[in-house]
Amino acid sequence: MTAAMTSAGSRPPATGESAETQSPEQAAHGAARRTVGRVAAAVGPMLSALAVAVGVWYAVTYLVLAENRRFMLPPVHQVLEVSVLQSSHMTPMLQALWLTVQVAVLGLVIAVALGVTQAIVMVQSRWMERILYPYAVILQTMPILALVPLLGIWLGYGFGSRVVVCVLIALFPMISNTLFGLQSPSAAAHDLFTLKKASRWQRLTKLQLPAAVPSIFSGLRISAGLSVIGAIVGDYFFRQGPVGIGGLLDVYTQRLQTEDLFTAIGLASLFGVVVFSLFATLDRAVVGHWYGMVRR
Amino acid sequence: MSVDAATLHAPTADILAARPSTLLMRGVCKTFSTGTVALTDVSLEVAAGDLVSVVGPSGCGKSTLLRLASGLDAVSGGTIQVNAAATSFVFQEPTLLEWRSAQKNVELIDELRGVPRAERRRRATEALELVGLTGFERQFPRQLSGGMRMRVSLARSLVAEPDLALFDEPFGALDEITRLRMQTELQRIFRLKQFAGLFITHSVSEAVYLSNRVLVMSGRPGRIVADIAIPWQYPRPPELRYQAEFAALTGQVSAALEGGHE
Ligand SMILES: Nc1ncnc2c1ncn2[C@@H]1O[C@H](COP(=O)(O)OP(=O)(O)O)[C@@H](O)[C@H]1O
Ligand SMILES: [Mg+2]
């Protein structure tokens, strides 16, 4: 669609017999060729890199590793045969991934709600900011590993603790980005609201929060990526109840099921990439629309 | 309002003096908590139908003067009386909300006051028409030029129907051509609305062209060192700027500015 339009726009100026001599099929054909070309240009380098990686993989498996150590890096086709294409292997992995997705989504929702709320509280007064911000920073810098035993004692070793780990990991970018956005309006903009005797609520809803929307969405992008990591880390540490993809990683390692380990790593990474792309796109769309640059 | 006063009476000096002043400052001083003495003993008076300019070197306390007049800051000494149902403030930067269209930016003031939507829309449309932005209502600030953004800012200030209009170097950041055009626009609006205007600028020719009185401030701490009446009737043609009498008055203001520096 877009390609067809561009090609029509960039058609060379008609000479003599004019553009009508070019049949619609020809034009469509040209457009299709161009689209293919563009996709190839975008995906080509990625595919070449993938091909190189697979090549290196095979080289390491067969040339570097001795036969008795080949389990460390099973060849690609073996990973596909033994694991990816076996529904008896794939089904539990997909179920585990689904559980991890739930942890990540719930963790992200809680992190967003808490982060935005805390930032709003902090922006209400310098004092609140001075009291709360140091704790936010401590939370961010504290190694989660140090909290794991305590969380286990408090909340048990199941779903709840997984979500909490996810929240702890994803929270800080929401706080700091929202706070930055809430503080972004100029002194003059605040003067305008003061002159018009705006209430605190009006200042928040008509000046600070709208000004923070772009930063909130870039915080969301970062936190979404972290929530994936948080969910997998949570699964890994807290194993009671149904297993998540992070738990499976450990199971496969223990049992030396390296084919399944690779598949699980691949699935976890794919999940991360999907979430990242989704929120990056959302971020761009919202911010563009916010400033009227994207017309509806 | 005072439109009638201005049209019914001949503008002789004593009748002008008898008009109630919209803004009256007496012996105003301002010392900041940092110890900076920004203003000392400033007295001035602005009545409806007056457009008074204040010129002075940068940092002499011009913005402080406006902040005091608007009530954004409190005086350290002296008194300020304001007889105005509504006061408007135009900042040096357009200070628009980037996520709102031109129309929505102008509606903001009425939104804060709780004016019903239909009414607020009508008033914003009118104000935008007044500043020559009909057709640009749906544009966002980023899609507008600097001059147009300042027009939106002007429209936003006019929507409140101000009796007292305060301007803090509103055209200072605009290019020369746009600036001259905006001066003409402001003059037209002023003639129509007859508010009491206090206009801060660092441009002598802008002050002389726009106002009927020019106050010259000394360097910090700011004092008023000269009060120069500008005699010409409105509307003033743009060509006035190239005439000898105009040059004579700008010369007089500049000389007062130079004197105030020492
Ligand atoms: N809030 C403030 N606290 C301390 N000093 C200030 C404050 N606002 C302005 N000043 C000082 O007061 C003086 C006058 O400032 P201002 O009124 O902005 O000058 P102008 O608008 O003429 O350039 C300057 O020296 C400035 O640094
Ligand atoms: Mg200033």
Side-chain angles (χ1 to χ4, degrees):
Chain A
M1 172 70 179
T2 346
M5 271 155 55
T6 347
S7 88
S10 60
R11 206 182 285 164
T15 47
E17 271 143 297
S18 89
E20 276 123 74
T21 49
Q22 196 187 14
S23 75
E25 293 103 275
Q26 271 175 316
H29 191 71
R33 224 180 15 219
R34 233 160 294 182
T35 312
V36 169
R38 207 171 300 163
V39 170
V43 179
M46 220 172 93
L47 287 180
S48 333
L50 186 66
V52 170
V54 169
V56 171
W57 183 330
Y58 273 114
V60 173
T61 308
Y62 289 112
L63 304 177
V64 178
L65 293 174
E67 203 166 344
N68 62 342
R69 297 179 67 215
R70 211 156 272 167
F71 71 91
M72 292 171 77
L73 191 66
V76 179
H77 63 268
Q78 196 174 318
V79 172
L80 292 177
E81 271 165 35
V82 175
S83 179
V84 177
L85 300 174
Q86 296 292 328
S87 64
S88 62
H89 288 231
M90 207 51 182
T91 310
M93 272 193 244
L94 288 176
Q95 278 168 351
L97 183 64
W98 173 234
L99 191 82
T100 307
V101 170
Q102 289 174 322
V103 172
V105 169
L106 189 58
L108 181 62
V109 168
I110 296 174
V112 170
L114 279 181
V116 171
T117 310
Q118 187 175 340
I120 288 174
V121 170
M122 286 200 284
V123 87
Q124 295 306 311
S125 80
R126 281 249 162 259
W127 278 110
M128 285 295 185
E129 191 186 342
R130 270 189 219 154
I131 292 168
L132 290 175
Y133 201 75
Y135 290 99
V137 173
I138 290 171
L139 200 69
Q140 161 75 4
T141 48
M142 182 162 41
I144 293 300
L145 194 65
L147 279 180
V148 164
L150 194 61
L151 283 176
I153 294 172
W154 283 351
L155 301 168
Y157 292 85
F159 191 78
S161 287
R162 295 181 198 175
V163 174
V164 170
V165 166
C166 181
V167 171
L168 288 179
I169 289 182
L171 183 59
F172 188 73
M174 278 321 296
I175 299 176
S176 59
N177 275 274
T178 308
L179 187 62
F180 175 80
L182 291 172
Q183 288 173 337
S184 64
S186 63
H190 276 289
D191 284 345
L192 179 68
F193 276 68
T194 307
L195 282 169
K196 296 304 162 188
K197 305 196 167 52
S199 65
R200 203 172 259 264
W201 177 249
Q202 285 178 322
R203 196 182 292 265
L204 178 66
T205 54
K206 293 193 191 293
L207 179 62
Q208 294 168 309
L209 272 176
V213 164
S215 339
I216 290 177
F217 274 86
S218 57
L220 188 59
R221 195 187 60 211
I222 301 167
S223 286
L226 289 176
S227 76
V228 171
I229 296 174
I232 293 173
V233 169
D235 288 345
Y236 190 88
F237 285 132
F238 299 105
R239 295 289 181 70
Q240 241 166 38
V243 70
I245 198 86
L248 278 188
L249 290 173
D250 196 36
V251 170
Y252 295 146
T253 314
Q254 309 268 333
R255 299 188 195 151
L256 288 182
Q257 290 176 343
T258 35
E259 290 86 0
D260 289 328
L261 183 59
F262 276 97
T263 309
I265 291 172
L267 281 177
S269 313
L270 198 65
F271 177 32
V273 169
V274 166
V275 167
F276 178 82
S277 323
L278 201 71
F279 281 90
T281 311
L282 182 72
D283 185 19
R284 233 172 300 134
V286 167
V287 172
H289 181 68
W290 200 234
Y291 293 130
M293 303 312 273
V294 179
R295 289 320 202 75
R296 275 260 176 93
Chain B
M1 215 180 61
S2 42
V3 183
D4 306 294
T7 44
L8 288 177
H9 303 291
T12 56
D14 44 350
I15 288 174
L16 280 177
R19 281 181 308 173
S21 50
T22 311
L23 171 68
L24 185 63
M25 290 185 154
R26 285 270 171 267
V28 164
C29 307
K30 178 67 185 178
T31 306
F32 285 105
S33 53
T34 52
T36 308
V37 182
L39 295 171
T40 53
D41 192 25
V42 172
S43 298
L44 62 84
E45 192 177 351
V46 188
D50 274 345
L51 186 47
V52 176
S53 282
V54 178
V55 288
S58 108
C60 72
K62 304 185 294 298
S63 296
T64 304
L65 185 72
L66 275 202
R67 293 178 64 85
L68 294 176
S70 69
L72 275 172
D73 274 336
V75 296
S76 315
T79 56
I80 297 183
Q81 278 175 36
V82 177
N83 286 310
T87 301
S88 71
F89 201 119
V90 179
F91 302 89
Q92 175 157 11
E93 298 297 322
T95 321
L96 301 178
L97 306 184
E98 296 271 314
W99 54 90
R100 281 172 175 248
S101 64
Q103 168 97 20
K104 290 279 176 194
N105 261 290
V106 177
E107 282 183 27
L108 176 73
I109 306 303
D110 279 346
E111 232 176 281
L112 294 174
R113 294 193 306 165
V115 175
R117 172 171 299 195
E119 172 74 359
R120 157 172 117 206
R121 236 179 238 165
R122 188 185 60 72
R123 285 159 55 96
T125 307
E126 254 176 50
L128 281 167
E129 190 186 341
L130 190 62
V131 299
L133 277 185
T134 301
F136 293 92
E137 294 89 347
R138 301 184 58 181
Q139 304 280 305
F140 281 72
R142 288 191 183 194
Q143 297 163 324
L144 298 171
S145 68
M148 284 162 117
R149 266 179 263 157
M150 190 39 86
R151 281 171 198 259
V152 177
S153 188
L154 273 182
R156 183 181 59 194
S157 78
L158 293 166
V159 112
E161 301 276 348
D163 305 311
L164 176 62
L166 306 172
F167 303 88
D168 193 359
E169 302 193 33
F171 309 148
L174 300 178
D175 63 87
E176 187 65 13
I177 294 166
T178 313
R179 171 190 267 257
L180 297 183
R181 203 171 289 154
M182 292 303 288
Q183 291 171 8
T184 313
E185 289 283 294
L186 180 64
Q187 210 185 88
R188 178 179 60 78
I189 292 165
F190 168 66
R191 269 175 25 87
L192 210 63
K193 298 289 177 183
Q194 293 287 308
F195 46 68
L198 187 58
F199 190 95
I200 306 290
T201 175
H202 56 241
S203 156
V204 172
S205 74
E206 183 166 270
V208 171
Y209 178 68
L210 275 181
S211 43
N212 54 5
R213 254 170 69 214
V214 176
L215 306 179
V216 179
M217 278 178 78
S218 68
R220 193 158 57 87
R223 277 171 310 118
I224 290 173
V225 291
D227 182 344
I228 297 161
I230 310 296
W232 307 299
Q233 299 254 305
Y234 297 102
R236 297 174 182 170
E239 304 79 58
L240 179 64
R241 296 193 186 92
Y242 316 117
Q243 267 146 41
E245 34 183 347
F246 189 85
L249 271 173
T250 52
Q252 201 182 329
V253 173
S254 299
L257 260 175
E258 297 285 317
H261 264 301
E262 280 133 43

